[in-house]
Amino acid sequence: DAGVIQSPRHEVTEMGQEVTLRCKPISGHDYLFWYRQTMMRGLELLIYFNNNVPIDDSGMPEDRFSAKMPNASFSTLKIQPSEPRDSAVYFCASSLGRGPLSGELFFGEGSRLTVL
Amino acid sequence: AQKVTQAQTEISVVEKEDVTLDCVYETRDTTYYLFWYKQPPSGELVFLIRRNSFDEQNEISGRYSWNFQKSTSSFNFTITASQVVDSAVYFCALSVGWGKSTFGDGTTLTVKP
């Protein structure tokens, strides 16, 4: 089975531009998470979904960030407008909420965002 | 609120040495789950182990072993006979329910040949 797929792998953009990161979770997983990793702040949970419904978005830094999950196989994280301090690696992860593998996070390879 | 502390920021060992990575957690919940993840230089995060709060049995998987002690709120990870390929950042994480996991800051392990 394919793992979590994220795109783009690398994104370089200029301040003020809109950035959209995409994620395809593992088929059958009912939880989807967006994390951000920086040297200063480590791994931060931004938002997570259960059965496509946002459950906790308290980690979203500000209104410039938004996330959607229109169906079970696709999610987006959008930053508009982007700022240099948004530069980070953004990870998408999915997991099962039941069964012997429940709770284990399966991460994508990450999207490295650089905002100039 | 949940908290995970990995006091060791960086550890450097020589190949074949044993090394223990410490993890201390805080939670008021009686049911919780503990995890270890590995992030090699390539960047992806890989799941290593999950432990339930009601199961304090230690676990061994090859050169890896985990020591879970509720009395000290610790979930330590030992690599026996370390190898260069073990060089990575290791994260301990805590989850209450199947929702959000709280990660520690990670321990960077360098294994020198």
Side-chain angles (χ1 to χ4, degrees), chain A residues 37 45 56 97 102-103 105, chain B residues 37 39 43 47 50 98 100-101:
Chain A
Q37 186 177 35
L45 176 65
D56 185 347
S102 54
L105 294 173
Chain B
Y37 291 87
Q39 187 174 36
F47 163 84
R50 181 192 77 185
W98 299 126
K100 54 198 282 184
S101 288

Side-chain angles (χ1 to χ4, degrees), chain A residues 17-66:
Chain A
Q17 296 298 305
E18 177 179 296
V19 173
T20 299
L21 308 178
R22 298 172 179 79
C23 175
K24 177 179 169 55
I26 292 174
S27 177
H29 281 192
D30 49 356
Y31 281 86
L32 183 139
F33 305 80
W34 282 100
Y35 282 87
R36 177 172 71 174
Q37 186 177 35
T38 61
M39 289 293 291
M40 291 295 293
R41 302 175 68 91
L43 267 168
E44 303 173 274
L45 176 65
L46 301 178
I47 184 171
Y48 77 94
F49 298 81
N50 178 219
N51 292 324
N52 313 338
V53 176
I55 303 300
D56 185 347
D57 66 353
S58 59
M60 296 287 259
E62 46 198 275
D63 292 345
R64 297 184 297 106
F65 285 69
S66 62

Side-chain angles (χ1 to χ4, degrees), chain B residues 21-64:
Chain B
L21 310 181
D22 297 333
C23 173
V24 174
Y25 63 92
E26 295 177 30
T27 180
R28 293 183 179 178
D29 289 85
T30 55
T31 300
Y32 51 88
Y33 307 88
L34 295 163
F35 305 83
W36 276 94
Y37 291 87
K38 175 181 180 180
Q39 187 174 36
S42 53
E44 76 275 20
L45 281 143
V46 179
F47 163 84
L48 294 178
I49 189 172
R50 181 192 77 185
R51 220 64 192 130
N52 305 329
S53 56
F54 45 86
D55 182 2
E56 281 194 78
Q57 266 194 331
N58 292 328
E59 183 154 338
I60 298 175
S61 176
R63 297 184 296 107
Y64 294 174

Side-chain angles (χ1 to χ4, degrees), chain B residues 81-99:
Chain B
S82 60
Q83 299 176 0
V84 172
V85 292
D86 295 328
S87 297
V89 182
Y90 290 87
F91 292 94
C92 181
L94 167 69
S95 173
V96 176
W98 299 126

